[in-house]
């Protein structure tokens, strides 16, 4: 665990940790330990299947608190244990949240202690889904997740990677470090409490004709992970995104665009409405657009076709050169001379922080190795999932931002 997280005091904060049936329940035990060490009071409620993976005694020993498992076997005089438990906490976190439990939550079922607590709660609910990739991709699960998001439930993860069943894909529960960060953000105001963060993400699409265009292989994963990390840190987040296939985090404002021009217009509009404290330009913005766009599909001939391109505005450079710019963070994906190009771009665009990475390794991938360039020099963030890197990056941004103001 990152030292800074462990140092962060959560004393006086109360969390109800709901554990449902999944192999990732063992990670929840480590999370319970870390949160308890940070001073948080952790009450654990386990479903029947969770108890088949990890015993209640483990959580009881790690948290020093009783563990609740049964709606009917209340060890208290009160028969209203679900109400009592749900009233006395600042946050409920379900980790791992199984496909079954997510379905239950989406329907508002209240047929066991944990589900009943969730329905009876008057505090925020955060869930960390964990399941096999096919279960995660299933239309019913996706429908349920959308439904919960609309109900204001905070969804953290899952992430991509090797699964307990041996398959590889989306559905793995977020790492303990990332979950700790998310809980800490909600419980203690967070590192970015009260700050407005504007993020651009994904590729842009520059039309050539009615059905074709120029784009790139950016997936949007880094920008979306950063949006989630900024939300978890308590920021008000606006996400301006090019076309991606990702589930959008529950940001305060979401703007979907296609071209670089549209992205610039959206950035200007957001900034004219509300001053932004931090601008993180993760989008892989196309450098050129076609001078003329055919309104019809261009017909194939056996002649050479020459496409005339004009440079696009540099959105980040424009924002960074404003008289009173937000704290600007740029990303540079390079295929060669990474450090030299990154340092040059940082100077040219007048950025306090530039994040460099190897394009071939990072674009579209779930993991990234990052090198941060700022006035103090170079900082290496060893390869990790984009979720983890986002949280590390947010921490670094906060340090620089606070130093600058
Ligand atoms: O110059 P280069 O494209 O490598 O710079 C990368 C950084 O600049 C990224 O943060 C990207 O989002 C931003 N950028 C931009 N507008 C452009 C080109 C890049 O905001 N037209």
């Amino acid at each position: 665990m990152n030292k800074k997280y462990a140092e962060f005091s959560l004393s006086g904060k109360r969390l109800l940790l709901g554990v449902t049936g999944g192999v990732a329940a063992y990670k929840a035990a480590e999370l319970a330990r870390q949160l308890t060490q940070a001073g948080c009071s952790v009450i654990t409620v386990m479903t029947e299947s969770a108890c088949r993976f990890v015993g209640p005694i483990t959580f009881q020993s790690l948290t020093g608190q009783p563990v609740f498992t049964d709606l009917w076997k209340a060890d208290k005089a009160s028969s209203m244990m679900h109400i009592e438990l749900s009233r006395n906490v600042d946050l409920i976190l379900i980790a791992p949240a199984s496909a079954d439990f997510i379905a239950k939550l989406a329907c508002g079922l209240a047929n066991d202690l944990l589900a009943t607590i969730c329905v009876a709660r008057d505090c925020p609910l955060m869930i960390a889904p964990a399941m096999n990739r096919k279960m995660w991709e299933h239309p019913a699960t996706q429908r349920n997740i959308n439904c919960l998001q609309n109900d204001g439930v905070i969804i953290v993860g899952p992430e991509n990677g090797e699964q307990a069943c041996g398959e590889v894909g989306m559905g793995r529960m977020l790492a303990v470090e990332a979950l700790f960060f998310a809980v800490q953000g909600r419980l203690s105001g967070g590192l970015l409490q009260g700050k407005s963060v504007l993020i651009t993400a994904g590729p842009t699409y520059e039309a050539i004709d009615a059905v074709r265009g120029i784009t790139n292989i950016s997936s949007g994963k880094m920008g979306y992970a950063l949006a989630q990390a900024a939300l978890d840190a308590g920021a008000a987040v606006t996400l301006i995104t090019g076309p991606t296939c990702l589930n959008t985090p529950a940001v305060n404002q979401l703007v979907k665009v296609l071209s670089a021009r549209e992205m610039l217009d959206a950035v200007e509009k957001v900034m004219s409405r509300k001053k932004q404290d931090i601008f993180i330009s993760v989008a892989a913005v196309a450098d050129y657009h076609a001078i003329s766009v055919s309104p019809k599909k261009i017909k194939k001939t056996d002649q050479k076709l020459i496409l005339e391109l004009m440079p696009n505005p540099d959105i980040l450079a424009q924002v960074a050169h404003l008289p009173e710019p937000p704290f600007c963070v740029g990303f540079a994906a390079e295929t060669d001379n990474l450090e030299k190009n990154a340092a040059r771009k940082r100077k040219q665009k007048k950025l306090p922080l530039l994040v460099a990475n190897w394009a071939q390794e990072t674009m579209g991938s779930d993991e990234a190795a990052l090198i941060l360039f700022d006035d103090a020099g170079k900082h290496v963030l060893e390869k990790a999932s984009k979720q983890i890197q986002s949280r590390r990056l947010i921490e670094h941004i906060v340090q620089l931002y606070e130093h600058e103001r």
Side-chain angles (χ1 to χ4, degrees):
M1 152 118 9
N2 184 322
K3 202 160 148 251
K4 259 174 264 149
Y5 292 159
E7 277 169 5
F8 204 97
S9 170
L10 290 173
S11 107
K13 304 292 175 193
R14 295 156 312 168
L15 176 85
L16 190 146
L17 175 63
V19 186
T20 73
V23 185
Y26 80 92
K27 290 196 208 168
E30 173 59 13
L31 178 67
R33 189 180 78 82
Q34 297 287 356
L35 290 165
T36 307
Q37 262 188 352
C40 185
S41 159
V42 181
I43 302 283
T44 312
V45 177
M46 301 176 76
T47 62
E48 202 184 327
S49 17
C51 296
R52 293 185 179 251
F53 288 91
V54 183
I57 293 293
T58 304
F59 287 92
Q60 192 173 312
S61 314
L62 294 171
T63 61
Q65 306 262 17
V67 174
F68 300 89
T69 54
D70 196 329
L71 186 58
W72 305 111
K73 265 197 230 146
D75 56 356
K76 298 194 164 204
S78 160
S79 56
M80 292 289 161
M81 194 167 59
H82 57 293
I83 305 290
E84 225 179 290
L85 285 172
S86 68
R87 289 294 175 276
N88 291 328
V89 290
D90 303 301
L91 176 72
I92 298 175
L93 168 69
I94 311 292
S98 64
D100 175 69
F101 197 78
I102 287 170
K104 238 187 222 188
L105 277 180
C107 295
L109 288 187
N111 58 353
D112 65 17
L113 179 60
L114 188 56
T116 312
I117 287 171
C118 291
V119 179
R121 77 185 189 277
D122 64 356
C123 67
L125 173 63
M126 182 185 274
I127 66 166
M131 65 200 73
N132 167 267
R133 65 187 175 91
K134 284 285 176 198
M135 295 171 82
W136 173 251
E137 285 162 11
H138 195 285
T141 306
Q142 288 306 307
R143 224 175 20 245
N144 292 335
I145 286 287
N146 277 338
C147 177
L148 290 177
Q149 235 158 9
N150 290 337
D151 288 349
V153 175
I154 308 149
I155 320 278
V156 285
E159 65 178 4
N160 218 319
E162 201 173 316
Q163 306 202 300
C165 54
E167 294 184 3
V168 176
M170 194 64 136
R172 203 165 68 162
M173 188 170 85
L174 275 198
V176 170
E177 183 181 346
L179 287 177
F180 185 99
F181 185 94
V183 169
Q184 175 234 300
R186 295 286 159 176
L187 284 182
S188 51
L191 298 170
L192 288 173
Q193 188 66 27
K195 301 283 178 277
S196 303
V197 177
L198 173 60
I199 297 174
T200 60
T204 61
Y205 175 89
E206 311 295 332
I208 297 170
D209 68 14
V211 292
R212 303 185 185 97
I214 303 170
T215 187
N216 59 65
I217 60 166
S218 166
S219 60
K221 287 176 187 167
M222 189 75 217
Y224 279 46
L226 264 165
Q228 183 64 59
L231 279 175
D232 292 343
V237 178
T238 301
L239 178 64
I240 300 177
T241 176
T244 76
C245 307
L246 304 174
N247 287 333
T248 22
V251 290
N252 301 72
Q253 195 189 353
L254 176 73
V255 188
K256 291 187 179 177
V257 298
L258 280 179
S259 66
R261 185 71 240 177
E262 283 175 31
M263 191 170 269
L264 174 63
D265 290 346
V267 165
E268 286 175 338
K269 200 164 161 191
V270 168
M271 298 214 330
S272 70
R273 283 203 185 136
K274 186 175 187 320
K275 190 175 178 309
Q276 299 294 310
D277 299 295
I278 296 169
F279 174 42
I280 314 178
S281 180
V282 197
V285 186
D287 290 324
Y288 297 93
H289 67 273
I291 290 183
S292 77
V293 179
S294 164
K296 291 189 181 153
K297 188 177 166 193
I298 299 170
K299 290 279 171 285
K300 179 168 64 179
T301 68
D302 46 14
Q303 300 297 303
K304 195 187 320 177
L305 178 71
I306 295 173
L307 203 58
E308 268 201 294
L309 302 175
M310 274 285 278
N312 273 331
D314 191 311
I315 305 166
L316 176 59
Q318 283 198 24
V319 173
H321 283 78
L322 288 172
E324 283 182 45
F327 181 90
C328 287
V329 182
F331 270 70
E334 302 290 340
T335 54
D336 54 274
N337 286 328
L338 178 70
E339 300 198 12
K340 211 169 124 207
N341 284 331
R344 178 180 50 81
K345 278 182 188 171
R346 189 172 93 84
K347 277 223 171 80
Q348 264 173 6
K349 301 201 188 199
K350 272 181 65 178
L351 306 174
L353 178 62
L354 186 118
V355 182
N357 55 72
W358 289 107
Q360 17 344 5
E361 284 174 16
T362 307
M363 288 180 88
S365 159
D366 295 318
E367 294 186 317
L370 305 175
I371 309 178
L372 317 187
F373 292 88
D374 58 26
D375 287 344
K378 168 180 142 180
H379 316 263
V380 176
L381 297 186
E382 298 295 347
K383 191 170 179 175
S385 75
K386 288 182 174 174
Q387 276 87 1
I388 294 281
Q389 296 297 48
S390 301
R391 284 156 170 92
R392 293 178 179 159
L393 195 52
I394 290 287
E395 262 191 17
H396 194 85
I397 292 171
V398 169
Q399 276 174 11
L400 295 181
Y401 175 79
E402 280 176 355
H403 187 250
E404 197 177 79
R405 304 287 130 156

